[in-house]
Amino acid sequence: MRYELFAADELEPGSMRAVDVGGISVAVIRTPDGSVHALKNVCSHMGAKLSDGIVHEAVVADEVGGYRLSDDFVVRCPWHGFEFSVDTGRCLADARHRARAYNVTLERDMIVLER
Amino acid sequence: MTLAETPPADVESGGAPAQTMLIDCDVHEGLKSIEQLVPYLDPHSRRLTQHYGGWVASNPNGFPYVVPMESKAVARMEWELTDGTVGTELDAMRTQLFEGEGVSRAIINGFSYFSARAASYEFATALSSAYNDWQIEHWLNQDDRIYGSVHVVANDPQAAVREIDRVAAHPQIVQVFLPLVTDRQFGDPIYRPIFEAAARNDLVVAFHHGAHTETLFGWPRYYIEWHMVAAPQSAQNQLLSLICNGVFDQLPELKVVFMETGVAWMPWFMWRLDQQYRELRSEIPWVKRLPSEHMKDSVRICTQPLGDITPRQFTQLVEMADSERIFLFASDYPHYDADSVDVVLKSSIPEGLRNRVRYQNALETYPRLRGLIG
């Protein structure tokens, strides 16, 4: 099923919007670099709305104290801080937790979601 | 006439320098033996000093507790030698532990905790080296069923690494021994060379509490309080430090062993730390796996004291922690609360799990014991 959601420029980079897609709440995410993603809007931990959280670069390190921001973005749950990849929906700390990721494309600046 | 009114003698005699009264406000008298106080003590305190263990007469300001056990060596009474010591003679260990308790192989770690010394690291290093050589000559070289520990001084990591590399040349050395200190965290990168040296030499790193190990509140008023929490509290803190500071991410082949901490905290610790990691991973992004996964692969817990829980509870505990490879049998010979294997690993524990705890897990944990397989 194909859903036309809203114009991408309605969503500021680094922000999210909750959208009802056929009765399912979806977090539409625009990362700080401008790309658009969509995750099911429910944290697999306790059910918080991911769209109430934040989107930013994941913190990574190869050695103790070697913090750096990666090129990969995560949504961080507003309740307990679980981090979900905007690309895959996988929880960075524990792959048993994930948020379903939806395929989204831009068509003439319109965000289109398929599920 | 009072003392204060007594005129200095030299004033009257003339010539010599005047002598006035002299009051010394800091003079120390001494006991030849602390036993000299016994006649002055009340009956209960007299019992503590004369019949119970743990009261170090030569160092009354040391370990602050009297252990209310009849053995002054805080040991099983039948294991006390005629000189009042325990664990000090190889023949006695052969009779009491190998024959009496049915032990096939034993890993010894002594009673000495050189890394616990708060200062004088050079002297502590010399003592640990001497102890290592003594251990090899008088124990390992005398009985090939006995395996030993490298004692090091962690606060001089370079010296500790040299000692590990030196002593590891002996094939019966199987682990590096570190005391469960409570003033330093062994996950700190300054200690990493010690863990690297252990892994490089196929040695486990083993932790054990001692008279230096304090609780969160320091020294509780009574021994029962200290004995209850000092070891598990400090073990949990050191394990937390190792995990959160990336020791197992850097050295996935390393195994660490905790002794005498009890066992039932393990599932809770896994669950709690996994939960914390899911929430706070971004603070320790060098940790790449769930803490419970690191623990299943890299952390081992000795069973003594296992009498705290029933065989059924132990079996359930292992299932809850999904951790049948984690627990290693340990007797804690020769202490008063030592575990005999047939008492704590009863036949009601499934045979597969029982054998894992009796020997299979140890064979998989200590790289240098793997030659015993088969």
Side-chain angles (χ1 to χ4, degrees):
Chain A
M1 187 77 75
R2 182 173 179 279
Y3 297 87
E4 290 191 2
L5 301 182
F6 53 87
D9 60 7
E10 292 180 28
L11 196 58
E12 289 291 321
S15 65
M16 291 183 278
R17 179 190 291 185
V19 177
D20 184 291
V21 178
I24 292 175
S25 181
V26 172
V28 180
I29 305 148
R30 193 156 188 213
T31 55
D33 66 356
S35 62
V36 179
H37 308 264
L39 298 177
K40 188 174 181 180
N41 197 19
V42 179
C43 179
S44 57
H45 182 213
M46 290 191 176
K49 290 181 180 176
L50 294 178
S51 58
D52 289 340
I54 60 168
V55 54
H56 61 193
E57 298 92 340
V59 183
V60 295
D62 297 321
E63 58 186 2
V64 175
Y67 297 103
R68 60 186 170 81
L69 300 184
S70 78
D71 296 329
D72 298 320
F73 292 93
V74 293
V75 170
R76 197 140 194 249
C77 176
W79 285 3
H80 296 91
F82 281 36
E83 303 164 286
F84 297 92
S85 163
V86 298
D87 295 314
T88 65
R90 175 184 171 276
C91 174
L92 267 57
D94 186 348
R96 291 172 300 184
H97 284 274
R98 62 170 55 235
R100 180 177 173 183
Y102 297 101
N103 184 35
V104 287
T105 54
L106 291 181
E107 297 182 9
R108 296 181 306 282
D109 201 34
M110 177 64 69
I111 299 173
V112 177
L113 181 147
E114 293 185 34
R115 59 172 283 256
Chain B
M1 183 177 286
T2 66
L3 276 174
E5 293 165 336
T6 305
D10 298 301
V11 173
E12 294 178 343
S13 58
Q19 291 286 334
T20 60
M21 184 181 302
L22 181 62
I23 300 177
D24 185 339
C25 296
D26 185 1
V27 176
H28 303 275
E29 83 289 6
L31 294 163
K32 288 186 181 298
S33 163
I34 202 80
E35 303 293 335
Q36 289 177 277
L37 292 183
V38 170
Y40 299 90
L41 292 172
D42 65 89
H44 174 67
S45 298
R46 197 174 301 157
R47 173 184 288 179
L48 294 182
T49 60
Q50 293 195 298
H51 297 291
Y52 285 167
W55 190 60
V56 184
S58 61
N59 183 18
N61 296 321
F63 189 57
Y65 304 108
V66 177
V67 184
M69 291 294 155
E70 287 298 326
S71 163
K72 286 190 175 178
V74 198
R76 269 195 201 179
M77 294 185 70
E78 69 267 29
W79 287 342
E80 270 194 18
L81 306 177
T82 52
D83 63 1
T85 64
V86 286
T88 55
E89 294 180 9
L90 178 56
D91 282 342
M93 182 182 285
R94 285 169 170 153
T95 303
Q96 296 169 345
L97 185 70
F98 288 96
E99 295 174 24
E101 296 295 312
V103 168
S104 312
R105 299 287 190 278
I107 300 169
I108 59 176
N109 59 66
F111 294 106
S112 301
Y113 305 105
F114 302 103
S115 278
R117 292 186 71 92
S120 302
Y121 302 138
E122 297 85 356
F123 181 51
T125 295
L127 289 172
S128 65
S129 293
Y131 191 91
N132 292 332
D133 291 339
W134 172 84
Q135 173 196 204
I136 288 171
E137 180 178 347
H138 292 277
W139 297 87
L140 307 192
N141 287 350
Q142 305 304 317
D143 195 319
D144 61 9
R145 297 172 299 176
I146 298 176
Y147 296 84
S149 307
V150 189
H151 294 261
V152 297
V153 178
N155 264 4
D156 189 344
Q158 285 70 38
V161 167
R162 286 195 297 272
E163 185 67 0
I164 292 168
D165 288 337
R166 181 183 79 86
V167 179
H170 195 287
Q172 284 161 258
I173 291 290
V174 298
Q175 65 186 10
V176 174
F177 181 88
L178 291 176
L180 278 172
V181 294
T182 43
D183 58 347
R184 292 161 260 151
Q185 295 179 312
F186 282 131
D188 189 306
I190 68 169
Y191 301 113
R192 201 61 50 89
I194 295 170
F195 295 92
E196 292 168 345
R200 182 173 68 243
N201 285 288
D202 286 335
L203 301 176
V204 160
V205 177
F207 295 89
H208 195 299
H209 70 290
H212 55 275
T213 307
E214 297 187 35
T215 75
L216 180 63
F217 292 146
W219 301 105
R221 282 171 61 93
Y222 300 105
Y223 174 78
I224 185 174
E225 300 174 75
W226 178 85
H227 203 221
M228 166 70 192
V229 296
Q233 271 185 359
S234 53
Q236 288 168 26
N237 277 291
Q238 293 294 358
L239 174 55
L240 194 56
S241 176
L242 298 180
I243 292 172
C244 292
N245 286 276
V247 170
F248 303 123
D249 292 272
Q250 183 194 336
L251 300 168
E253 71 277 26
L254 178 72
K255 297 281 194 297
V256 300
V257 172
F258 289 89
M259 291 176 269
E260 286 191 57
T261 65
V263 297
W265 56 272
M266 178 59 71
W268 166 82
F269 191 91
M270 286 179 167
W271 300 334
R272 172 73 174 162
L273 188 51
D274 279 359
Q275 174 214 356
Q276 293 295 294
Y277 180 70
R278 290 185 197 103
E279 298 174 7
L280 301 169
R281 181 215 65 88
S282 62
E283 190 187 20
I284 51 171
W286 45 86
V287 177
K288 306 296 187 186
R289 305 172 68 201
L290 281 171
S292 63
E293 293 173 356
H294 277 310
M295 289 166 67
K296 289 171 189 172
D297 285 347
S298 302
V299 180
R300 300 293 179 259
I301 308 292
C302 288
T303 52
Q304 190 275 341
L306 193 56
D308 301 348
I309 58 177
T310 66
R312 182 166 178 268
Q313 288 171 326
F314 178 65
T315 304
Q316 292 172 327
L317 176 79
V318 170
E319 290 173 354
M320 282 193 292
D322 186 23
S323 56
E324 66 173 13
R325 295 174 189 272
I326 281 186
F327 298 107
L328 312 175
F329 173 74
S331 71
D332 188 32
Y333 170 90
H335 283 128
Y336 74 89
D337 52 351
D339 280 350
S340 293
V341 68
D342 292 335
V343 174
V344 296
L345 292 179
K346 290 187 168 68
S347 57
S348 55
I349 294 175
E351 185 177 3
L353 174 59
R354 208 164 67 243
N355 285 337
R356 280 223 146 269
V357 177
R358 283 179 63 103
Y359 68 96
Q360 288 173 353
N361 288 346
L363 291 176
E364 293 173 4
T365 297
Y366 295 87
R368 291 184 168 198
L369 293 188
R370 287 174 192 157
L372 296 173
I373 296 174

